[in-house]
Amino acid sequence: MANAEIGPESGQQPVYADHTGHPQQSMGVLTLGALGVVYGDIGTSPIYAFREALIASASGQVASREDILGVLSLIIWALTIIVTIKYIMFVLRADNKGEGGTLSLMALARSSFKSRPASILIIGMLGASLFYGDAVITPAISVLSAVEGLKTVTPSFDPYVVPITIVILVGLFAVQRFGTGNVGIVFGPITLVWFLAIGASGLGHIFDDPTILYAVNPYYIIGFLTHQPDVAFVTIGAIFLAVTGAEALYADLGHFGRKPIVLAWLSVVFPCLLLNYVGQGAYVLSHQGDIGHPFFEMNRGWALIPMVGLATCATVIASQAVISGAFSLTRQAVQLNLLPRLNILHTSETQSGQIYMPRVNFLLAVVVLLLVIGFEESSDLAAAYGISVTGNMLMTTLLLFVVMTRIWKMPLWLAGGLTAVFAFIDIGFFSSNIVKVLDGGWASLAVAFTVLLVMWTWVRGSRYLFDKTRKNEIPLEVLVDSLSRKPPQIVSGTAVFLTSDPQSAPTALMHSLKHYKVLHEQNVVLSVVTAPTPTVAKGERVKIEQINDLFMRVSMTFGYMEQPNIPKALAICRKQGWKFDIMTTSFFLSRRALKASANSGMPMWQDKLFISLARTAADATEYFQIPTGRVVEVGTQVTI
């Protein structure tokens, strides 16, 4: 870390622990919860996905029978292959001690290599960066598309669509500080009602033209792709809107476990989505291919206004799930030292996963509102949506190959064949979306590039800073031997020196000896290690090494899903024989003032960016939850 001499680069092997398991709740409760959190995003796709795909395939506002059957067949098989086969059957099994998500998969894949290759780290960083692109597009397009349903009620609502969307989004981000625990109770039931409603709506219109069921035959995909390859290529990008949110299945694995997520998909989500898409297709066929807005139009009459209201609730829930996912991913990134320390507020006394990050929430809100104001219509935002999601899925496929071959020990021919199929589909979707860069795709790419640049700068700068300070430090054993032969004045109490390198003498210790010329009767060199696992058992949290009568080395290991709490971890030390009194213990931290240098190995602009990031990092005392009255900070100046 930059502001304090603390970080995961300790040079020691982390201690791992078994996953503690998910809360003991009934399968029904967990499945209902998974509906509300996991499937909110993909569940709102029918509002715009089928319509956007038809518009992309048709010339004008009228689609041919071949276009309708081809588009619907593509959606059906995309949901089957990408979600049901790839994610349900394979990706969900790649859990890291029960946790999922891009960074969890990256940590799992890297743990299979002794050298921890940088290529795996880069793939993980790319996937995480692209997720943030998705995190800002999802609330904007979901809420905007739902509110646009008001125009179906009466065109006079048109001028008010964007203002109403902004009000809803501002309210959504404003309530984040109160946590999702209370509102989360109603997420599942509302989403269940939503899926049953869209399923019933689609089922009621299948009989408008039952020949729409021919779309189950993949023959229509071949005909659609070969008839007009150039049009089909662009249409595939819109087809992908139907599977956006598939990454949420994996990202929220740690909240519910695999079985509830699989059960919710197979019993409710998948059937209801298929019924609605097929119903939309039959509705458009029965209206001579007139595209319009089939999702809302096939609910004209008494059901229209309730459906618009329900769609708005569903999109807010979908947005909430993505925002919570962004908080969780950011915490993982901080713990894995991919981002500087950020303030994390826990909004639940019982659920550690319910957190609020003020800075992240503010940045997400600003970008989302700018997107709504700038694009104004969900159709325009749709072009910006697919790139980040498809890119993220491709990164997941690459990391999954590493897990399949190195951890699952799957035969190379089988793992390679599966990866080839998944990658072929991912690359196809990504290629069809990348052509939309000038039409709006630049927005998600700009967000992803910004996050990737910040991550890479922090990782690179932290490494240079670590190497630079290590060169100027002396080995701890050398200092201990020197002090044993010629000890300074000994004072009572315990001094804890936090450091990222337990093999070297901490800078705070050296400055304390230089200025105070005293040594405490008990000196602890403490390092905090982040394990590539979500959690670490309390019995394996602390490792103590007695160097001599005056010095001991302590290593504390936390999972990347845990909030480091040094005082609580110190209490564990009593069981290992270290008797201490917190009221006579002082914590020494080194606060570094960084200065840019032309010889750092990084460009000057990246030097300055790293220094800016370091200055905005959360205070180490607060982050590690150390009592402020027991902290002594020693300032140093470092040129990087």
Side-chain angles (χ1 to χ4, degrees):
M1 296 297 186
N3 284 352
E5 198 176 343
I6 307 164
E9 305 289 349
S10 67
Q12 292 186 340
Q13 292 296 321
V15 182
Y16 307 116
D18 293 332
H19 184 61
T20 56
H22 300 286
Q24 296 299 313
Q25 295 176 311
S26 69
M27 185 61 65
V29 173
L30 288 172
T31 303
L32 190 62
L35 277 176
V37 176
V38 177
Y39 293 109
D41 191 357
I42 198 170
T44 55
S45 295
I47 299 175
Y48 48 81
F50 185 69
R51 172 174 176 262
E52 294 302 325
L54 282 184
I55 291 175
S57 65
S59 54
Q61 287 294 316
V62 179
S64 67
R65 178 180 176 84
E66 290 73 21
D67 288 339
I68 296 170
L69 289 173
V71 165
L72 181 58
S73 189
L74 276 167
I75 289 177
I76 291 172
W77 285 100
L79 288 170
T80 302
I81 296 175
I82 294 179
V83 184
T84 308
I85 297 178
K86 177 183 174 181
Y87 280 89
I88 293 293
M89 293 181 62
F90 290 98
V91 176
L92 286 185
R93 297 182 184 275
D95 67 294
N96 190 349
K97 303 295 183 180
E99 292 291 339
T102 303
L103 292 182
S104 282
L105 189 60
M106 178 205 75
L108 183 64
R110 288 191 89 197
S111 67
S112 66
F113 294 90
K114 291 184 178 179
S115 59
R116 304 291 175 87
S119 58
I120 304 295
L121 175 65
I122 292 173
I123 292 174
M125 290 168 57
L126 279 171
S129 302
L130 290 165
F131 176 85
Y132 285 103
D134 179 24
V136 295
I137 299 291
T138 295
I141 191 174
S142 297
V143 178
L144 187 58
S145 63
V147 177
E148 283 174 348
L150 292 173
K151 294 192 293 185
T152 309
V153 178
T154 170
S156 60
F157 274 113
D158 193 11
Y160 306 104
V161 168
V162 172
I164 292 174
T165 301
I166 291 175
V167 170
I168 293 174
L169 289 171
V170 168
L172 175 64
F173 283 102
V175 300
Q176 293 302 311
R177 68 184 64 195
F178 302 110
T180 59
N182 294 328
V183 291
I185 296 175
V186 299
F187 279 8
I190 290 178
T191 310
L192 177 60
V193 172
W194 164 255
F195 278 115
L196 294 178
I198 65 173
S201 174
L203 180 62
H205 285 277
I206 290 177
F207 298 100
D208 292 353
D209 193 333
T211 62
I212 192 66
L213 295 175
Y214 292 156
V216 176
N217 190 341
Y219 163 80
Y220 289 96
I221 296 178
I222 299 173
F224 179 76
L225 296 178
T226 56
H227 179 60
Q228 289 182 296
D230 53 338
V231 175
F233 179 74
V234 177
T235 304
I236 288 174
I239 293 291
F240 189 77
L241 294 173
V243 295
T244 55
E247 275 289 325
L249 277 71
Y250 187 45
D252 289 307
L253 180 62
H255 293 275
F256 303 99
R258 181 176 179 273
K259 288 184 178 180
I261 293 175
V262 172
L263 182 60
W265 172 256
L266 296 178
S267 64
V268 178
V269 182
F270 193 31
C272 291
L273 288 177
L274 290 180
L275 286 173
N276 190 265
Y277 282 121
V278 174
Q280 287 190 53
Y283 179 85
V284 176
L285 271 181
S286 66
H287 286 73
Q288 292 74 48
D290 183 29
I291 298 174
H293 207 316
F295 179 85
F296 289 110
E297 288 176 1
M298 66 183 189
N299 290 285
R300 285 190 185 277
W302 67 268
L304 180 56
I305 294 180
M307 183 60 78
V308 172
L310 192 57
T312 304
C313 292
T315 53
V316 169
I317 291 172
S319 303
Q320 174 64 64
V322 174
I323 295 169
S324 299
F327 293 160
S328 179
L329 184 72
T330 303
R331 178 170 69 171
Q332 293 182 33
V334 170
Q335 287 291 81
L336 292 170
N337 203 33
L338 301 179
L339 289 174
R341 291 188 305 270
L342 296 170
N343 287 327
I344 301 175
L345 304 179
H346 292 266
T347 59
S348 171
E349 295 181 358
T350 58
Q351 300 294 325
S352 63
Q354 293 184 17
I355 58 174
Y356 169 62
M357 307 186 76
R359 193 178 304 174
V360 176
N361 188 63
F362 175 76
L363 292 175
L364 285 177
V366 169
V367 177
V368 168
L369 293 176
L370 288 176
L371 288 173
V372 171
I373 295 171
F375 285 88
E376 294 186 340
E377 294 185 0
S378 60
S379 294
D380 295 333
L381 266 173
Y385 201 9
I387 297 178
S388 58
V389 185
T390 53
N392 193 5
M393 287 187 172
L394 181 57
M395 297 304 106
T396 297
T397 298
L398 297 177
L399 292 173
L400 181 64
F401 174 74
V402 178
V403 172
M404 287 192 296
T405 54
R406 296 188 62 86
I407 296 179
W408 294 351
K409 306 299 181 183
M410 186 179 291
L412 185 60
W413 64 269
L414 180 57
L418 289 170
T419 302
V421 172
F422 297 151
F424 176 77
I425 296 174
D426 291 339
I427 292 172
F429 278 123
F430 182 76
S431 301
S432 62
N433 276 283
I434 200 69
V435 298
K436 302 177 184 177
V437 170
L438 297 180
D439 296 327
W442 58 267
S444 59
L445 286 180
V447 173
F449 177 77
T450 301
V451 175
L452 181 63
L453 180 63
V454 169
M455 283 186 174
W456 180 242
T457 298
W458 185 254
V459 170
R460 193 180 185 190
S462 297
R463 171 57 64 181
Y464 277 120
L465 181 61
F466 179 79
D467 291 341
K468 176 120 184 177
T469 55
R470 193 169 191 175
K471 290 178 182 178
N472 298 328
E473 293 172 346
I474 63 174
L476 180 61
E477 281 74 11
V478 173
L479 177 65
V480 169
D481 291 340
S482 175
L483 293 175
S484 297
R485 291 193 300 269
K486 190 177 180 181
Q489 179 70 36
I490 305 297
V491 297
S492 62
T494 300
V496 178
F497 299 93
L498 281 80
T499 179
S500 60
D501 181 14
Q503 305 304 321
S504 301
T507 303
L509 172 59
M510 299 301 295
H511 280 267
S512 177
L513 289 170
K514 177 181 178 181
H515 295 288
Y516 305 138
K517 296 180 174 56
V518 296
L519 191 67
H520 287 73
E521 60 184 359
Q522 193 172 42
N523 300 274
V524 179
V525 178
L526 174 63
S527 60
V528 178
V529 180
T530 300
T533 53
T535 58
V536 172
K538 291 182 178 179
E540 300 175 339
R541 175 83 68 205
V542 177
K543 180 181 179 182
I544 299 176
E545 178 189 353
Q546 189 74 43
I547 301 176
N548 63 12
D549 293 339
L550 291 174
F551 284 89
M552 69 170 61
R553 187 185 283 120
V554 176
S555 174
M556 292 183 180
T557 306
F558 296 91
Y560 58 77
M561 291 293 291
E562 296 178 304
Q563 179 69 20
N565 188 321
I566 288 180
K568 185 179 291 186
L570 283 174
I572 302 174
C573 296
R574 290 192 177 95
K575 299 179 181 179
Q576 299 189 28
W578 175 23
K579 306 299 181 183
F580 73 98
D581 180 5
I582 190 69
M583 299 310 297
T584 61
T585 301
S586 298
F587 294 86
F588 288 81
L589 280 71
S590 175
R591 179 172 292 276
R592 295 177 175 135
L594 304 180
K595 293 186 65 177
S597 169
N599 301 318
S600 71
M602 295 192 300
M604 183 61 71
W605 65 266
Q606 198 168 29
D607 260 1
K608 293 181 178 180
L609 176 58
F610 174 71
I611 293 172
S612 298
L613 292 172
R615 288 173 179 168
T616 61
D619 182 68
T621 302
E622 181 179 353
Y623 183 78
F624 291 104
Q625 303 182 58
I626 306 171
T628 54
R630 310 307 308 170
V631 175
V632 178
E633 292 189 346
V634 180
T636 60
Q637 183 170 292
V638 180
T639 302
I640 60 172

